[in-house]
């Protein structure tokens, strides 16, 4: 029996690389897609040493609107695709009043347009072959929570959530599932948007203690690609340590007893 084949975009670094390595370790054949040729080659070699499984490397610029479909076709030519993980994204922090149309368009193309058309290309190939792959998009908590310098990024991730749901609705009848994960803050090695220790500390405050768990994120992706998730589509699953639920870092906003507590105590005394 042939091994399942996954395509992971953004596989040269960050969460994409973590996901690619996890899938390889669990017996998947993996095709990694990234624009960073040297880092993708290095990642492929290191994953092979760590897992004993080689991954194919496709150097693709997903900032080119037509490149995503081409990457899917090239990967499919080596073996039918059972899983697609759209993890590639860019986040060049730019203040709102300095953001221009070129930067805006580039972020939208990489972060939402390319995942959409990669999914569409895969669906067309899969339908012709009578196969039912699964897709996982890597969204972000930024889709629901804006922050300075990220108007283009937050917008793209919100659009990616809707693209996930729209794709799920239209492809569900064909047995193709499309879901998303919504990570909290994960420190990644990004030359485009390095972060300060102060910024990382602020965004790393979560309900669950400890640093962000990339292993849990990768396992969630693997689950969504698996047959165990066969009744899940159009879902957006937070993998954020509880940060999307709220915060436990704020002090109580009252002192002493409240009016409600005093009235309740008085009523108890009368009864």
């Amino acid at each position: 029996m042939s091994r399942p084949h996954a395509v992971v975009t953004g596989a040269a670094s960050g969460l994409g690389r973590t996901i690619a390595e996890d899938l390889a370790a669990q017996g998947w054949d993996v095709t990694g897609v990234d624009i960073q040729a040297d880092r993708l080659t290095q990642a492929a070699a290191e994953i092979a040493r760590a897992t004993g499984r080689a991954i194919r490397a496709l150097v693709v610029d997903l900032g080119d609107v037509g490149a995503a479909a081409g990457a899917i076709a090239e990967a499919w030519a080596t073996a039918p695709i059972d899983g697609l993980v759209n993890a590639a994204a860019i986040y060049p922090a730019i203040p709102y009043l300095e953001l221009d149309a070129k930067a805006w368009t580039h972020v939208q193309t990489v972060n939402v347009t390319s995942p959409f058309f990669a999914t569409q290309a895969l669906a067309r190939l899969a339908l012709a072959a009578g196969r039912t792959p699964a897709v996982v998009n890597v969204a972000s908590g930024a889709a629901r929570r804006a922050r300075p310098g990220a108007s283009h990024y937050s917008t793209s991730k919100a659009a990616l959530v809707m693209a996930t749901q729209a794709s799920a609705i239209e492809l569900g009848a064909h047995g193709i599932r499309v879901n998303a994960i919504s990570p909290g803050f994960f420190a990644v090695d990004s030359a485009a948007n390095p972060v300060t220790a102060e910024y990382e500390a602020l965004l790393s405050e979560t309900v669950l203690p400890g640093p962000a768990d990339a292993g849990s994120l990768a396992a969630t992706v693997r689950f969504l690609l698996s047959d165990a998730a066969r009744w899940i589509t159009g879902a957006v699953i937070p993998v954020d340590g509880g940060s999307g639920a709220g915060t436990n870092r704020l002090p109580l906003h009252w002192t002493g007893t409240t009016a409600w507590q005093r009235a309740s105590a008085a009523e108890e005394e009368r009864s």
Side-chain angles (χ1 to χ4, degrees), residues 16-264:
R17 172 174 170 158
T18 298
I19 293 165
E21 183 167 349
D22 177 81
L23 290 172
Q26 297 299 321
W28 287 68
D29 285 337
V30 177
T31 297
V33 175
D34 209 290
I35 191 175
Q36 305 173 90
D38 292 343
R39 294 189 72 172
L40 183 59
T41 299
Q42 180 182 350
E46 292 174 354
I47 290 172
R49 285 196 294 271
T51 66
R53 306 188 64 82
I55 75 167
R56 303 179 189 93
L58 287 182
V59 179
V60 177
D61 179 6
L62 294 175
D64 175 354
V65 73
I72 294 299
E74 187 172 347
W76 185 280
T78 64
I81 298 167
D82 301 290
L84 167 62
V85 183
N86 289 305
I90 55 174
Y91 178 5
I94 304 174
Y96 184 90
L97 293 177
E98 297 176 17
L99 182 62
D100 60 22
K102 181 178 179 181
W104 172 273
T105 300
H106 186 55
V107 168
Q108 306 314 310
T109 300
V110 174
N111 293 7
V112 62
T113 305
S114 285
F116 181 90
F117 285 108
T119 301
Q120 183 193 70
L122 175 58
R124 287 173 172 168
L125 290 168
L127 290 177
R131 300 179 72 93
T132 55
V135 179
V136 178
N137 293 322
V138 179
S140 170
R144 296 182 295 108
R145 189 178 183 186
R147 60 187 67 137
S151 56
H152 51 348
Y153 178 79
S154 295
T155 300
S156 73
K157 290 300 186 178
L160 183 59
V161 167
M162 181 49 66
T164 298
Q165 295 169 334
S167 299
I169 291 296
E170 298 213 36
L171 297 178
H174 305 289
I176 298 173
R177 298 181 299 103
V178 186
N179 292 292
I181 59 169
S182 179
F185 177 76
F186 284 80
V188 297
D189 183 14
S190 171
N193 188 31
V195 300
T196 65
E198 179 185 17
Y199 186 88
E200 181 175 345
L202 285 171
L203 286 186
S204 297
E205 291 187 353
T206 55
V207 174
L208 295 175
D213 183 1
S216 177
L217 182 143
T220 304
V221 170
R222 181 164 27 91
F223 164 72
L224 290 172
L225 292 178
S226 76
D227 192 54
R230 61 187 173 275
W231 200 235
I232 302 174
T233 196
V236 182
I237 299 180
V239 187
D240 60 6
S243 61
T247 179
N248 56 8
R249 302 289 183 173
L250 294 175
L252 298 179
H253 61 278
W254 69 89
T255 58
T257 58
T258 65
W260 181 87
Q261 288 171 321
R262 291 192 295 272
S264 178

